[in-house]
Amino acid sequence: MSRSSSFAQASGLAVFLLLALAVQQLEADMSASCSGVLSGLSPCLGFLEGEEDYPSADCCNGMSSLVAAEATTADRLDACECLKSAAAEGSAESTAARDLPADCGISLPFTISADVDCSQIE
């Protein structure tokens, strides 16, 4: 094997490894951002599970932080997908989840629901 082909193979492998690491980091960042969204809304669990009649001030503060963090369409899409997944897996009452933003006096560009079509977000 010539020296230049060995170098080309090593260079190709290095590029592949860098791309693989970049994809892993992107997936980790997306997972971390979803964890952050869910953590910020954890004070809402009592309301969402029907144990409280109204969302707490801490819950509404978490909703406000979520809205403030949605600076781009990509941010809104990520938040939507995260909350859609959580709604599908959780024990939250669907009406409480859907009404949560309005109950906090906040407007979200999507409905918190397992059935929401996040691809429609702008």
Side-chain angles (χ1 to χ4, degrees), residues 29-116:
D29 289 347
M30 289 177 68
S31 176
S33 66
C34 187
S35 296
V37 166
L38 297 178
S39 176
L41 296 180
S42 64
C44 301
L45 286 178
F47 173 72
L48 293 172
E49 293 175 346
E51 298 168 3
E52 300 169 1
D53 293 331
Y54 302 98
S56 68
D58 287 341
C59 170
C60 291
N61 287 339
M63 285 296 304
S64 294
S65 295
L66 171 65
V67 171
E70 295 177 349
T72 67
T73 300
D75 293 338
R76 291 185 287 277
L77 180 61
D78 288 346
C80 179
E81 291 292 349
C82 176
L83 293 175
K84 176 181 181 175
S85 179
E89 294 177 14
S91 61
E93 294 181 16
S94 61
T95 303
R98 183 194 68 227
D99 294 343
L100 178 60
D103 288 345
C104 287
I106 295 167
S107 177
L108 278 179
F110 58 87
T111 302
I112 300 174
S113 165
D115 301 322
V116 66

